Amino acid sequence: MSAIDGYIGDLDRRLTGSARAKTDLLTEARDGLVDAAEAYREGGIGEAEAERRAVADFGPVAVIARDYQAELALRGDIGTLWKVIVGIPLIHVSWELARIWTYGDWSRSGKSNPEWYMSVIELFGVLVIVPPLIGVVALFGARRLGRRLDSVRLGKVTRWTVGAAASTNLLALLLLTVGTAALDPSRMNVSLACNVLAAGWAAFSLWLLAPACRSRHALAA
């Protein structure tokens, strides 16, 4: 095995994240090593020694892996922000449409909504649009801050914004669920379609929290 192949293999084993993003980073690293080795060979150095020097110049694999892992985590968080921006409004709209098609207007229940419950509905309506707004602001900010911060520090910022968006979404769901259950438990069972979408919404919200909770410092030795 050549020095370059061994280095890339070691780097590969130390990284976790999106397969596509990981492949891109490893390909970039390999291309850089091959170019550096080629430059040494053109200077009259043998192939094995040229690769060894190229690897030495590239840096210790543990250090490079730490930087690359931070980049992978950042790319993952950016992807999660896009899921927040698109996924939450899509599920919300889908639930409302399913409720209209399978149940109809709430007035058909024959029960009036008390003032406190209308306040719950209004607050839910505000909270549910906050996560996508956080996502949009975070994406814009990441592009601007990317010129000033490295991947590690920028990753910390995006991790907290992902956590804030996911937590706000869960708070909105919890508020509506508790309020509805307190008012009329039968409304918790609107229709099969709505129940499935509600369960999916809750699962999606919990899944969004995973990137925010993971450790960015757990790199293989």
Side-chain angles (χ1 to χ4, degrees):
M1 179 184 295
S2 69
I4 291 178
D5 288 339
Y7 186 92
I8 295 298
D10 191 6
L11 185 58
D12 185 13
R13 289 187 292 273
R14 292 170 181 261
L15 300 177
T16 59
S18 165
R20 181 175 181 179
K22 183 177 173 181
T23 298
D24 289 344
L25 289 177
L26 291 175
T27 299
E28 180 182 324
R30 180 182 291 277
D31 290 344
L33 288 168
V34 169
D35 290 343
E38 179 64 28
Y40 276 119
R41 283 195 295 271
E42 290 177 355
I45 297 175
E47 182 174 351
E49 179 62 17
E51 290 194 3
R52 189 192 66 76
R53 293 190 182 187
V55 166
D57 292 343
F58 202 74
V61 68
V63 174
I64 300 302
R66 188 176 299 113
D67 293 339
Y68 276 24
Q69 188 61 59
E71 177 65 23
L72 284 172
L74 176 60
R75 293 189 186 189
D77 287 342
I78 295 297
T80 302
L81 287 174
W82 275 112
K83 293 179 178 68
V84 169
I85 294 170
V86 177
I88 292 176
L90 181 61
I91 296 176
H92 185 203
V93 171
S94 297
W95 189 92
E96 290 290 351
L97 290 175
R99 190 262 304 169
I100 292 171
W101 290 336
T102 61
Y103 182 85
D105 192 84
W106 289 119
S107 61
R108 64 170 287 185
S109 66
K111 301 176 182 178
S112 59
N113 292 324
E115 185 176 343
W116 69 264
Y117 187 69
M118 295 306 300
S119 298
V120 168
I121 294 297
E122 291 175 2
L123 182 56
F124 169 78
V126 172
L127 289 176
V128 81
I129 66 173
V130 170
L133 291 178
I134 291 177
V136 171
V137 172
L139 281 178
F140 178 77
R143 293 182 179 181
R144 298 293 297 270
L145 291 174
R147 304 169 186 173
R148 304 176 183 179
L149 302 179
D150 58 27
S151 296
V152 174
R153 288 184 293 173
L154 183 58
K156 291 179 180 179
V157 175
T158 57
R159 184 178 70 171
W160 282 109
T161 55
V162 167
S167 298
T168 303
N169 185 55
L170 279 172
L171 177 61
L173 286 176
L174 182 62
L175 177 69
L176 183 63
T177 300
V178 173
T180 302
L183 174 67
D184 182 3
S186 65
R187 290 192 181 187
M188 299 294 294
N189 187 30
V190 178
S191 69
L192 177 61
C194 288
N195 292 344
V196 170
L197 285 169
W201 194 345
F204 179 69
S205 302
L206 291 172
W207 176 78
L208 288 176
L209 282 175
C213 295
R214 70 170 178 262
S215 172
R216 294 174 177 276
H217 305 291
L219 290 175

